[in-house]
Amino acid sequence: MANVAKKVSWSGRDRDDDEDGRAGETTPLLNGTGPGAAGSARQLTPSSFLRIGQLSNVDLNEEIHELETELPRQRPNEIPHNEKLLSLKYESLDYDNSENQLFLEEERRINHAAFRTVEIKRWVICAMIGIFTGLVACFIDIVVENLAGLKYRVVKDNIDKFTAKGGLSFSLLLWATLNASVVMVGSVIVAFIEPVAAGSGIPQIKCYLNGVKIPHVVRLKTLVIKVCGVILSVVGGLAVGKEGPMIHSGSVIAAGISQGRSTSLKRDFKIFEYFRRDTEKRDFVSAGAAAGVSAAFGAPVGGVLFSLEEGASFWNQFLTWRIFFASMISTFTLNSVLSVYHGNAWDLSSPGLINFGRFDSEKMGYTIQEIPIFIFMGVVGGILGALFNALNYWLTMFRIRYIHRPCLQVVEAMLVAAVTATVGFVMIYCSRDCQPIQGSSVAYPLQLFCADGEYNSMATAFFNTPEKSVVNLFHDPPGSYNPMTLGMFTLMYFFLACWTYGLTVSAGVFIPSLLIGAAWGRLFGISLSYLTKGSIWADPGKYALMGAAAQLGGIVRMTLSLTVIMMEATGNVTYGFPIMLVLMTAKIVGDYFVEGLYDMHIQLQSVPFLHWEAPVTSHSLTAREVMSTPVTCLRRIERVGTVVDILSDTSSNHNGFPVVESNPDTTQVGWVPLGWPHKGWLQRGTLTHSALLQVAGLRGLILRSQLIVLLKHKVFVERANLNLVQRRLKLKDFRDAYPRFPPIQSIHVSQDERECMIDLSEFMNPSPYTVPQEASLPRVFKLFRALGLRHLVVVDNRNEVVGMVTRKDLARYRLGKEGLEELSLAQT
Amino acid sequence: APPRSLRRVLLPALALLGLAAAAGPPQTPALELAQELAEELWSAGLPGDLPELEPECRSLLAAFAEGSAALTGCLGRRARPVRLCQGCHGPYRRLLAQYGSIARAVGNSSESHNCAKSILTSDRLQIVVTLSEFFNETWEAANCANCLKNNSEGLSNSTEEFLDLFNKSLTCFEHNLQGQAIDLSPNNYTEVCKNCNETYTKLNDLYNRLQRMNRQGGESAHSAHLCIDVEDAMNITRKLWSRTFNCSLPCSDTVPVIAVSSFILFLPIVFYLSSFLHSKQKKRILILPKRIQSNANLVNIQEKYS
């Protein structure tokens, strides 16, 4: 029976995630820091009245199943994907240094001067992050400009030709096919090569800075796919922008440079070895994210604040200063390269991929009377943003449930591209809004049915890259668009953008949101000036900007950083106040309905994301209820066979193991399951010791990755005694294996070696953080979140391990609509 | 004769024909004005030993005043239809020279007698500078440099060619309209469209070519425009052609467009329906956590889903 259950579940997993298999080869540490299934090697259960909770179907041993039949059995079943799940796929990052003897020895060896070198290296890395991020931004910008220009010229020539002769349906087909084929390439590389490069990447980076290890998120391969994917999806005419992905790209660049090597390329430059751990890498990744924002919007301060807003739990003053430096370098690099490209070298006035242009003419000022109007726009933005998110939520849910095969995802992306072109074409075809071509700065004026010397006004909005359309909406003189055009455009683009976000292409949501907002904001401004009989202050461009801010704020719900980004992108500090008001209102109104787009997607991906605070009503919960128990422990000097068995036990794929040592005086018989030790372990020749039933005090904590390195280097007591080990293991050996530790399956341990002993005392972290059982959830949460922990051991008053709190145990509790909710764990 | 309404439309356009030959405005009024000005300047000499304008500076100033009057007159007279660059490049060039001689002129050896200083910068208003700036800006905005030769003496070859063609097409319009019967309804200009199509297309193509050449040549946004004369001439012709004569009637093929677009719009519906019906829904396997059963009044997930 157990076998059947096992088979079903595991085959189910294999079938569902074929890319998971690939992930498994390279990132071995998948699955379950914390609560896996029961059936661990030894269970230290402190007292007999405590019973094992529910046992899942992935048990390996029959005995426990027999035992379990007495318990009220709720068969865990397969359920459709929903938002109230936590995936086992995601691991924590080790933001807390393992302070073992090796580490302490190394830190002691480094003298004051050496620390200074490390500090200088940090600055050098930050400068390099800035430079490379800027260069990548330039590359994207230039390639998009040229390819999109080529595409629009081809389509325009075709339309011009067929307008005279008839047969515009061919132009439509040409446009749709061009779009679909370009997007197909972009989607294929994402869906088949690196699915984590899909979307804007901001949710992923947010998770990374929060301390969740998303597989593959900071790989070089991801960067390449991301950059190509963005170019292709923008050129393919989707309702997307290239700004959001810059943040992800910047982060990947940062993670890559700070490690001084590329595992994908198998090149190790032997530099920056000191930074090869999660703690250091995280700091650089936040610098990279800041550099990305800064390159995307020409907003260095906004970039710093973005990193602050998204990853602020681990922060200090020097880090901020360094990050600011990286941001500045990034925008400066972008500036200088683009100025050379555009032919006016060293004119550093084109910061950012998107430049909102200058808002400093006289009529762009605002007065106190306009403040209520801005607030009203914020309300509208909040409502529209909430609508956008709600629609996107349903769509994403449908996509996760039904459109999970890569080929289907590619087909979907192609269809969206074709439909986007079609909608654009039909809108242009039906529009009779003609504007004189003279004195306007339209890049690809499309005449169609307009008189000679005029262009179709709808075409400026649709027949252009979204960035250019935004700038046009901000700056075109009043009267360039008629209200009907803007209204139709807003409506169509709203649904297109909503439909597009979440496709398997790499693309951002910033620009489409700005575009929707700018369109309705301009419409608002026009109607306002109509109502006020053309007052001078009702300049539509200003309202377009406010509308854009409101819409973007309503969708992504960022506050501080978005205000500064918008302020810097417009280059006008006096707009700070109205933009802030608008964003604030939009956030308040939007939060009333649904949460922000990024948070929503994080939740839909079942990521164990820790928010700032524990849920407000969770004070009644204590660590005892939150923790996972029983805990698989190791002894200070452990048999190799046991270690290997524990590590290769797929059902309890733990990553942290408390190291215990029995106190000789307090031997106590624990709860012994029926038929324990059972056949399974006997057959594998790992007879469990009676020691497991003794109560054992906590001595330290050791990670799976450390154990694997130890096994790989065969650091066994017997070999040391025989002088077989050439040298002592150093911290460098652990760093060299970082971040892709080999899976346990790849390590061969012979039958003889299984009988050897392994001494963990040198390698374990002798001072792990612990909490007593009575600590409340908010307290545990605060400790965990503030220190960026991965494992938090729960001990009783005799310092005996009773449980373990990991990220997933804390992330389970969430404030839902009906109060505190508990998420369930699922294999995804 | 063409109908009255048409004549009204055509008048400005046809007026251009006559003007193309005229070299410049009549000189007399401007000269008189300058004379007056000069006399005033002479009489305004300050008494006593107070410093006054050197005689040579006065003459420079008078020349500048004269030149700017001439240029103003020229610009004003050629405002509609726009022929600024063709007609006023002479006065403009002269004015530039006059201004240049003021700015460069050094009077007697002493510093105080510097003409440039006393004329250009010795008061708050600095009218000479303002005037010269105004003319320069107007010239820049009109983008006249674009249709003049490099030494700005006369029109460039491409502009000449364009104006030639422009005159030809206007003549063609006029001819065909005159040839038509008087009673024809104003909306029926098929004759014009048929006969002048060739010239018009040539003109249009030439204009587009000029524009393209211009765009490739200059990088900045400002030089993307052709000079105002050419732009305006093309504008008038295009308006006549497509608004008045209604000649550019594009074929509208609504039916195939609707067919194709509804086909494409239909595809996603098919796609989503089929994937909803045929694709196997992705299931998640719940893993039960190992933890102590608690009495806490939490929503029990297991109960919910069982």
Side-chain angles (χ1 to χ4, degrees), chain A residues 377-422:
Chain A
M377 292 184 82
V379 173
V380 176
I383 292 171
L384 285 180
L387 183 67
F388 184 99
N389 291 1
L391 288 176
N392 195 261
Y393 172 86
W394 292 112
L395 194 60
T396 310
M397 191 65 100
F398 182 85
R399 279 177 178 149
I400 292 176
R401 285 184 186 171
Y402 293 102
I403 306 177
H404 44 80
R405 292 222 307 275
C407 24
L408 281 182
Q409 291 170 337
V410 172
V411 172
E412 193 193 12
M414 283 171 68
L415 284 177
V416 174
V419 168
T420 308
T422 310

Side-chain angles (χ1 to χ4, degrees), chain B residues 183-194:
Chain B
D183 320 319
L184 265 178
S185 76
N187 283 328
N188 198 347
Y189 296 111
T190 41
E191 199 67 19
V192 184
C193 295
K194 210 163 57 193

Side-chain angles (χ1 to χ4, degrees), chain B residues 70-91:
Chain B
L71 184 56
T72 315
C74 177
L75 292 179
R77 245 174 262 116
R78 282 147 196 279
R80 260 342 284 172
V82 187
R83 321 221 73 190
L84 299 179
C85 304
Q86 299 163 57
C88 306
H89 64 92

Side-chain angles (χ1 to χ4, degrees), chain A residues 433-602:
Chain A
D433 179 9
C434 295
Q435 303 288 344
I437 217 161
Q438 300 259 343
S440 68
S441 54
V442 189
Y444 315 104
L446 203 58
Q447 183 184 355
L448 211 65
F449 301 141
C450 289
D452 285 1
E454 294 188 339
Y455 67 90
N456 190 311
S457 158
M458 184 66 96
T460 43
F462 267 114
F463 202 66
N464 213 336
T465 53
E467 287 91 355
K468 299 252 171 59
S469 307
V470 173
V471 178
N472 287 345
L473 283 171
F474 286 163
H475 290 294
D476 279 354
S480 305
Y481 301 88
N482 75 25
M484 185 64 191
T485 310
L486 283 175
M488 285 306 290
F489 176 75
T490 310
L491 192 70
M492 284 297 143
Y493 213 79
F494 183 86
F495 289 112
L496 283 178
C498 188
W499 190 19
T500 309
Y501 190 78
L503 282 181
T504 319
V505 293
S506 25
V509 76
F510 267 73
I511 295 297
S513 317
L514 287 174
L515 188 50
I516 297 166
W520 67 254
R522 198 174 172 104
L523 185 64
F524 188 83
I526 291 174
S527 41
L528 209 63
S529 74
Y530 183 72
L531 286 178
T532 58
K533 311 269 184 312
S535 296
I536 182 76
W537 48 270
D539 182 78
K542 183 171 54 183
Y543 289 97
L545 176 68
M546 292 304 157
Q551 184 67 52
L552 186 53
I555 289 175
V556 301
R557 309 284 162 75
M558 289 175 357
T559 47
L560 171 64
S561 52
L562 197 55
T563 309
V564 178
I565 288 172
M566 296 289 289
M567 220 162 78
E568 283 183 288
T570 53
N572 191 328
V573 180
T574 54
Y575 277 170
F577 180 62
I579 288 176
M580 187 174 146
L581 277 182
V582 161
L583 287 175
M584 239 159 145
T585 330
K587 183 174 167 59
I588 291 168
V589 173
D591 280 346
Y592 181 76
F593 299 106
V594 283
E595 57 194 332
L597 190 66
Y598 296 142
D599 289 327
M600 201 179 82
H601 274 262
I602 288 173

Side-chain angles (χ1 to χ4, degrees), chain B residues 188-239:
Chain B
N188 198 347
Y189 296 111
T190 41
E191 199 67 19
V192 184
C193 295
K194 210 163 57 193
N195 294 338
C196 302
N197 191 21
E198 197 188 341
T199 345
Y200 175 76
T201 317
K202 254 196 223 162
L203 182 72
N204 214 1
D205 288 349
L206 177 64
Y207 181 77
N208 286 340
R209 208 172 63 231
L210 285 180
Q211 226 173 9
R212 215 169 307 128
M213 264 160 47
N214 190 36
R215 209 160 277 166
Q216 278 163 1
E219 278 103 11
S220 67
H222 195 68
S223 64
H225 286 285
L226 289 174
C227 83
I228 187 73
D229 290 21
V230 174
E231 274 188 344
D232 189 65
M234 194 64 223
N235 232 7
I236 290 170
T237 327
R238 278 175 167 174
K239 264 201 191 126

